[in-house]
Amino acid sequence: MTLTEFSFIDELLKPVSLKSPQVLFGIGDDAAGLRIPEGFDLLVSTDTLVSGVHFLPHWDPYDIAYKAVMVNVSDMAAMAAQPAWVTLALTLPEMNQDWLQAFVKGLKEALHTWSIDLIGGDTTKGPLSITLTIMGLAPQNQALRRSGAKAGDIILVTGTLGAAALAVSFLEKKDLPPKDKKILMHKLLHPKPRIDYLELLRSFATAAIDISDGLSADLNHLCVASGVGACLDEKAIPLHPLVTHYLQEQAVDFVLSGGDDYELCYTVPASKLNQFGEALKLRNLQSYPIGVIEEGSGLRMQTAPGLIKHLTPAGYTHF
Ligand code: ADP
Ligand code: MG
């Protein structure tokens, strides 16, 4: 089979769609039609992955597709929205059949993991880049935003940090033990979007963000949106064991500015923390309290009892 733009769409992409009832029409028309269920709000988010920036061109196309889906799903998780549909804008240097088959396999498996329907897109020629627009649903007025944190709220993260950023900084490292390389690359390529937190976040959280750029940069976005400051407890920041192993006393600074983990950072009122802890346990989930929201602005970190240092938010920026 030699692929053309149209056989690619018909033979590879169409079978990815789930034909869910809320999709009135999907791939094949000039636009997709969706019926939003009554009582829900529609949430929309876009993320682009550019070759050489977000992934390397020689990576397995299966992984590239998985990651493109995952980073978009993570944005829905951060908003406490159920992901439902995506469109895919694909720019390709050529119609390479093997590459595209592996890409579509990764796309399909990732989308189906979270029951997300591919409803349309665009296919163009140019330097390799992948843009997904994801749409999700949240019960009316229950989407979680960055702007709801209040002084006194406890700041939590959903998992250990730093492994994905360490994988990036070790891409060229030749003497990395293969078993460590495997663990780190898995964290970079197959992070788990925290969809398992949707209900809990809706019930308990006041604000949330996913950690894509770095803990301090992303927490700072949340603080600015909420009009508050924050103080972190250095010892409470959960470091991935390999980050501690390789970076030792530099580990905390590294996770403050290292992104790509896609854990959630969120806030819960101190008065609800006990009840929240019980709810986490019931669901077999673990989160780590790392600090507290304060009045005012800016980030601080307690490094020892009574010793607090100012933090300059740092993380990945494109420009
Ligand atoms: P148009 O010329 O109207 O933009 P296209 O020929 O680009 O239409 O696309 C034909 C159909 O295939 C449309 O329904 C479009 O949504 C879908 N489509 C095109 N490219 C992709 C893609 N990369 N992923 C999913 N659907 C796609
Ligand atoms: Mg088009």
Side-chain angles (χ1 to χ4, degrees), residues 99-169:
W99 194 95
L100 284 169
Q101 275 173 335
F103 180 85
V104 170
K105 188 165 190 278
L107 181 74
K108 186 172 180 174
E109 286 184 16
L111 289 175
H112 292 191
T113 300
W114 298 288
S115 305
I116 302 168
D117 213 343
L118 178 66
I119 58 167
D122 198 22
T123 307
T124 52
K125 184 167 180 171
L128 179 60
S129 93
I130 300 139
T131 299
L132 283 179
T133 296
I134 191 162
M135 287 146 272
L137 298 170
Q140 248 170 35
N141 301 316
Q142 285 187 42
L144 187 59
R145 302 186 53 196
R146 296 177 177 181
S147 52
K150 300 266 184 305
D153 287 356
I154 307 298
I155 306 162
L156 298 104
V157 290
T158 52
T160 64
L161 302 175
L166 192 62
V168 173
S169 69

Side-chain angles (χ1 to χ4, degrees), residues 5-6 8-9 13 26-32 87-90 118-123:
E5 181 186 332
F6 296 106
F8 167 59
I9 294 169
L13 289 177
I27 296 176
D29 269 287
D30 286 314
T87 59
L88 166 66
L90 196 53
L118 178 66
I119 58 167
D122 198 22
T123 307

